Amino acid sequence: MSEQPLNPTPAGSHDAPSTDETPTGPARTGSTAADALADATSDPAATDEAAALRAASFERARRLRMEPRFPGGPAADPAGSHHERRIRSFQPRRSRVTTGQQESLERLWPQWGLDIDGKRVLDLAELFDGLPVVLEIGFGMGEATAQMAADDPGTGILAVDVHTPGQGNLLGLADKAGSTNVRVANGDAVILLREMLAPESLDGLRVYFPDPWPKARHHKRRLIQPEFLDLVAPVLKPGAIVHCATDWEPYAEQMLEVLTAHPRFENTAADGGYAPRPAFRPLTRFEGQGLDKGHVVHDLLFARV
């Protein structure tokens, strides 16, 4: 998503004209890119004009990245640049959106979707008609979320992701099932937790199969970290369950270590280890693929104390 800087030919990489030659035309025969660059930079007015053109081009590109793909749909950068630069656990993806997903976004986003802009505190009681609310971070294509919403209509699910096709797919699945207890939030879950949720407003948190960031230099990008749990604890009601699941063994070990060490959470497993998969968590397609490859899936259920 970043622009690659222009790398002009270094000065001196071409033969300089002899001292008795003086260019008389707008361009020398056989001139190179470096010659043209030297000509432009020798004129302050031309330099200023080139800088202004580059700035205008970058601004147009920035505006395009921020515009929603569909009118009235999820914003490309809902929080904008007023939030700090920091390491994130996700990478926004602008994959192909099917006709059905687009139709669901255009029709249902105004009713069931919201952008995480960091500008207001959500009234979850109003948003979910008084239902207890569970936050789900990262729902992929939304099949498991839609099934849990249909199986438990008495619980509201605030589902957060940045994947536009998945957002459209979840809205369509919920609509097809007649589920009205799902709201889709677009953007950074950290901003949502830190700035848009009232204290003790959530009845649970679900983080299923987050990106394991397997390379050691990327471990800092993993979502389940002590700092993340510091944000989660205040917005959970006492007794609320944090439910994580992963098929990446080293990440499961880190999750268990970090959750066990945090003073605001207590393991519900009697032996202090992993928990059996609860009946309410569906077997996802992604999980099935992992099991076929011999992966072991670990569930962790910790209560907020």
Side-chain angles (χ1 to χ4, degrees), residues 55-134:
S57 175
F58 284 128
E59 177 61 20
R60 284 195 299 272
R62 186 189 68 82
R63 287 200 303 267
L64 285 174
R65 288 195 299 268
M66 294 181 65
E67 289 177 358
R69 297 177 72 177
F70 310 106
D77 185 14
S81 60
H82 66 281
H83 289 283
E84 80 284 359
R85 296 175 62 88
R86 57 180 167 78
I87 295 171
R88 286 173 167 77
S89 64
F90 63 90
Q91 291 182 334
R93 297 171 292 160
R94 292 202 122 193
S95 307
R96 186 180 69 87
V97 176
T98 67
T99 302
Q101 293 162 359
Q102 177 178 344
E103 188 276 333
S104 295
L105 284 166
E106 293 176 345
R107 181 169 56 89
L108 299 170
W109 187 263
Q111 179 183 0
W112 290 346
L114 62 98
D115 283 318
I116 300 174
D117 54 15
K119 296 179 180 179
R120 66 198 189 281
V121 175
L122 298 177
D123 185 341
L124 296 183
E126 179 181 356
L127 195 62
F128 286 92
D129 298 322
L131 295 176
V133 179
V134 171

Side-chain angles (χ1 to χ4, degrees), residues 240-261:
I241 297 295
V242 173
H243 183 192
C244 302
T246 181
D247 68 336
W248 193 259
E249 185 78 27
Y251 197 8
E253 294 170 356
Q254 177 186 327
M255 288 178 175
L256 183 60
E257 179 182 350
V258 170
L259 282 160
T260 300

Side-chain angles (χ1 to χ4, degrees), residues 27-294:
R28 293 183 293 272
T29 302
S31 63
T32 66
D35 294 325
L37 181 62
D39 290 342
T41 54
S42 66
D43 182 353
T47 302
D48 292 343
E49 181 180 0
L53 288 173
R54 285 196 299 270
S57 175
F58 284 128
E59 177 61 20
R60 284 195 299 272
R62 186 189 68 82
R63 287 200 303 267
L64 285 174
R65 288 195 299 268
M66 294 181 65
E67 289 177 358
R69 297 177 72 177
F70 310 106
D77 185 14
S81 60
H82 66 281
H83 289 283
E84 80 284 359
R85 296 175 62 88
R86 57 180 167 78
I87 295 171
R88 286 173 167 77
S89 64
F90 63 90
Q91 291 182 334
R93 297 171 292 160
R94 292 202 122 193
S95 307
R96 186 180 69 87
V97 176
T98 67
T99 302
Q101 293 162 359
Q102 177 178 344
E103 188 276 333
S104 295
L105 284 166
E106 293 176 345
R107 181 169 56 89
L108 299 170
W109 187 263
Q111 179 183 0
W112 290 346
L114 62 98
D115 283 318
I116 300 174
D117 54 15
K119 296 179 180 179
R120 66 198 189 281
V121 175
L122 298 177
D123 185 341
L124 296 183
E126 179 181 356
L127 195 62
F128 286 92
D129 298 322
L131 295 176
V133 179
V134 171
L135 174 65
E136 182 177 1
I137 299 178
F139 54 79
M141 293 305 293
E143 296 99 332
T145 306
Q147 183 175 335
M148 288 186 290
D151 291 344
D152 184 12
T155 298
I157 300 177
L158 179 58
V160 180
D161 210 307
V162 294
H163 188 219
T164 310
Q167 293 167 346
N169 202 58
L170 174 54
L171 289 171
L173 291 172
D175 184 52
K176 184 178 180 180
S179 301
T180 60
N181 56 328
V182 177
R183 302 293 181 270
V184 179
N186 169 55
D188 190 340
V190 167
I191 294 174
L192 175 71
L193 289 163
R194 188 180 62 200
E195 303 181 30
M196 297 182 65
L197 294 175
E200 298 188 359
S201 58
L202 292 176
D203 291 83
L205 169 67
R206 297 169 180 170
V207 184
Y208 299 154
F209 304 99
D211 194 324
W213 295 101
K215 294 181 180 180
R217 68 176 183 270
H218 291 156
H219 286 181
K220 59 183 177 292
R221 295 184 179 274
R222 288 177 173 174
L223 182 63
I224 306 303
Q225 307 274 6
E227 298 80 7
F228 174 75
L229 296 179
D230 289 342
L231 289 176
V232 169
V235 299
L236 290 175
K237 296 176 182 176
I241 297 295
V242 173
H243 183 192
C244 302
T246 181
D247 68 336
W248 193 259
E249 185 78 27
Y251 197 8
E253 294 170 356
Q254 177 186 327
M255 288 178 175
L256 183 60
E257 179 182 350
V258 170
L259 282 160
T260 300
H262 201 283
R264 302 291 297 275
F265 296 99
E266 184 176 81
N267 198 336
T268 64
D271 62 357
Y274 302 113
R277 177 173 66 90
F280 67 80
R281 183 176 75 74
L283 186 69
T284 67
R285 180 177 56 183
F286 177 86
E287 182 177 2
Q289 292 171 350
L291 292 173
D292 290 341
K293 296 175 183 177

